Amino acid sequence: MNKPLPFTFKQIREITRIHPTPFHLYDEKAIRENAHLLKATFAGIPGFKEFFAVKALPNPFILKILKEEGFGADCSSLPELLLAEKAGITGEEIMFSSNDTPAGEYQKARELGAIINLDDISHIEFLEQHAGLPDLVCCRYNPGNTRKGNFIIGQPAEAKYGFTREQLFEGYRLLKAKGVKRFGLHTMVASNELDYHYFVETADMLLTLAADISREVGIEFEFINMGGGIGIPYKPEQTAVPLSQIAEEIHDLYETRIVRGGLKPPRLYMECGRVITGPHGYLVSTVLHLKHIYKDYVGLDASMANLMRPALYGAYHHITVLGKENRPADHTYDVTGSLCENNDKFAIDRPLPAIDPGDIVVIHDTGAHGHAMGFNYNGKLRSAELLLRGNGEVIPIRRAETPEDYFATLDFEELAKFKP
Ligand SMILES: *Cc1c(COP(=O)(O)O)cnc(C)c1O
């Protein structure tokens, strides 16, 4: 089964003449169309806004594109806040959803005027002490055993995130007593979830809870934020989450849970990463070696340092061998990188057409949690990131790392002087 590509073999051959493999290539046109679609789909819901999860694709060029599409940024660390700022995203366009947060990060978030999403009841006083309490505060809910989790994120009751239900009531009471005037409510209970019901249930849970807290504590919620976690069809036989169905059913929930209860409808926020850019990134790599021992191996010039999901979660990423799309997949290969870890495999027992050294392979759906999860273990260097623009032009949006980057935190002059 084939998955479509937004470029031709010829185009990729031209690109690799200037930009050597491996690299991640992002499709700007598709990302923009996707952003439009999300906005259009949720347009009927009060104040819908998407805060792109920066951790999925922390490249300021991408953030700038998404800002232009009307998205905010969801950040959870100081460098992510700085990236958002560099891309021109500031103030309440930033949602700061962190956990185990250092004081300096709260200070930067306050300086930027970001919406602060507290992960724990003890952080109310921590924030007050270290950065002062803003007018607007959001709290993150962990529903514990009342909700089932999924594979990547685990069971809510086992998850380190958020307030318990009791702590939420107490927390909002405390915030109100301390003079906080504006409130939001957040949760994130799924990751890479393809069952759309899950998101409707999450919205239902938040709307019901917001109504309960409003009544009991005497506050109004400006927004509910249902987190990210919408999955994408990594496998060719999977189908995308029906966003319009989610939007329709959440719209009905607003009627039953909020409007009929006489409450002011809170805005609906989301902080998805994967579903926005995931399907529109491609890791392009060249086959270096074929190896035939007990199994047949294809060795690429990319490794799990460029895409960790298969090694980390056993995740499926579709692979296309360029120029061989129409040949029968009558060979079975493990597709590997060069890292000295046996789980450095992009695919195990994958049926593919016969492969030769020099073939260019495209690994699909690397636009989220791909390059971003890169690391330097084993002296592996992170690849370049390229942007395929609407007019077919390709521009580098991050160069590849060099050994000098890898050594940047070492001082070789000190080393020369060092006597062990
Ligand atoms: C990772 C994360 C997201 C984005 O998750 P996706 O699966 O990419 O949609 C959003 N919010 C928080 C708090 C996260 O940790």
Side-chain angles (χ1 to χ4, degrees):
M1 239 199 234
N2 282 330
K3 277 188 121 188
L5 293 169
F7 42 72
T8 62
F9 187 16
K10 183 161 166 278
Q11 257 176 309
I12 289 292
R13 261 193 311 230
E14 275 161 22
I15 295 166
T16 57
R17 249 177 244 135
I18 304 162
H19 307 283
T21 59
F23 53 78
H24 288 266
L25 179 64
Y26 307 117
D27 179 355
E28 177 178 357
K29 183 162 163 272
I31 290 172
R32 283 186 186 273
E33 282 169 1
N34 201 14
H36 276 283
L37 181 70
L38 186 80
K39 275 186 301 181
T41 305
F42 284 89
I45 295 182
F48 174 78
K49 191 170 175 77
E50 153 74 6
F51 294 75
F52 178 69
V54 173
K55 84 168 189 273
L57 182 43
N59 188 299
F61 289 75
I62 301 291
L63 297 183
K64 212 166 162 179
I65 291 170
L66 293 175
K67 176 188 158 65
E68 206 183 271
E69 295 297 337
F71 288 6
D74 164 45
C75 303
S76 70
S77 65
L78 180 65
E80 287 184 359
L81 285 169
L82 297 172
L83 273 180
E85 189 182 20
K86 293 274 186 207
I89 305 173
T90 56
E92 292 183 8
E93 301 283 292
I94 300 177
M95 185 91 198
F96 186 57
S97 289
S98 59
N99 68 90
D100 189 23
T101 315
E105 298 196 350
Y106 276 139
Q107 285 153 6
K108 183 65 190 179
R110 287 281 280 127
E111 182 195 315
L112 289 174
I115 302 173
I116 292 181
N117 184 20
L118 296 178
D119 184 66
D120 187 63
I121 191 160
S122 69
H123 288 217
I124 295 172
E125 272 166 13
F126 186 83
L127 176 64
E128 185 179 33
Q129 198 182 334
H130 293 281
L133 285 174
D135 269 2
L136 169 62
V137 175
C138 181
C139 298
R140 178 169 184 166
Y141 174 45
N142 180 331
N145 286 326
T146 64
R147 289 295 294 282
K148 67 171 182 10
N150 72 0
F151 172 66
I152 292 181
I153 208 162
Q155 298 300 317
E158 298 292 330
K160 64 174 177 170
Y161 309 109
F163 293 49
T164 66
R165 185 179 164 95
E166 292 68 34
Q167 285 174 338
L168 273 186
F169 286 82
E170 195 187 328
Y172 285 112
R173 240 181 238 116
L174 184 61
L175 286 165
K176 185 185 175 195
K178 287 181 182 293
V180 171
K181 302 250 160 3
R182 303 164 56 205
F183 301 92
L185 174 63
H186 171 278
T187 199
M188 164 106 184
V189 283
S191 182
N192 193 27
E193 179 61 58
L194 285 173
D195 180 0
Y196 88 89
H197 293 100
Y198 208 88
F199 301 98
V200 178
E201 284 163 22
T202 297
D204 191 7
M205 176 183 84
L206 287 179
L207 287 172
T208 308
L209 180 59
D212 291 350
I213 296 170
S214 293
R215 265 192 303 272
E216 215 172 298
V217 181
I219 57 173
E220 249 176 21
F221 282 94
E222 276 191 20
F223 68 84
I224 57 163
N225 180 335
M226 55 190 276
I230 297 180
I232 57 169
Y234 285 101
K235 296 183 179 167
E237 68 271 20
Q238 290 173 324
T239 47
V241 175
L243 295 176
S244 54
Q245 196 70 30
I246 298 181
E248 223 169 272
E249 294 189 22
I250 291 180
H251 189 265
D252 293 346
L253 286 173
Y254 267 81
E255 286 299 315
T256 50
R257 301 281 183 264
I258 300 292
V259 178
R260 275 185 227 160
L263 293 163
K264 197 174 132 204
R267 292 194 289 268
L268 180 70
Y269 289 172
M270 251 184 209
E271 47 185 35
C272 287
R274 192 185 315 271
V275 76
I276 308 298
T277 55
H280 309 304
Y282 305 84
L283 175 57
V284 180
S285 180
T286 303
V287 175
L288 296 180
H289 302 284
L290 284 212
K291 169 165 179 159
H292 309 287
I293 49 171
Y294 306 102
K295 295 179 89 171
D296 294 324
Y297 295 94
V298 175
L300 304 185
D301 61 0
S303 75
M304 65 184 279
N306 306 115
L307 178 70
M308 190 159 53
R309 299 190 68 260
L312 191 60
Y313 314 118
Y316 180 94
H317 278 263
H318 197 66
I319 295 177
T320 298
V321 186
L322 291 183
K324 297 185 174 177
E325 290 86 341
N326 298 320
R327 299 200 191 167
D330 54 4
H331 286 61
T332 302
Y333 294 112
D334 278 16
V335 181
T336 78
S338 61
L339 211 126
C340 300
E341 285 284 347
N342 193 42
N343 63 346
D344 182 15
K345 293 180 179 177
F346 294 105
I348 296 173
D349 298 329
R350 180 74 56 90
L352 288 166
I355 290 180
D356 299 294
D359 279 350
I360 297 178
V361 304
V362 173
I363 302 176
H364 293 245
D365 302 307
T366 70
H369 313 291
H371 187 281
M373 278 190 185
F375 57 92
N376 287 132
Y377 177 51
N378 214 186
K380 297 301 168 195
L381 303 175
R382 277 170 284 237
S383 78
E385 295 181 292
L386 308 179
L387 184 67
L388 173 62
R389 308 224 54 194
N391 59 6
E393 187 193 357
V394 170
I395 59 164
I397 56 173
R398 186 195 300 272
R399 67 165 171 80
E401 286 179 343
T402 62
E404 287 67 39
D405 295 316
Y406 182 71
F407 300 143
T409 48
L410 295 172
D411 187 335
F412 289 119
E413 281 174 31
E414 282 303 314
L415 177 70
K417 284 187 260 166
F418 175 65
K419 295 200 178 43

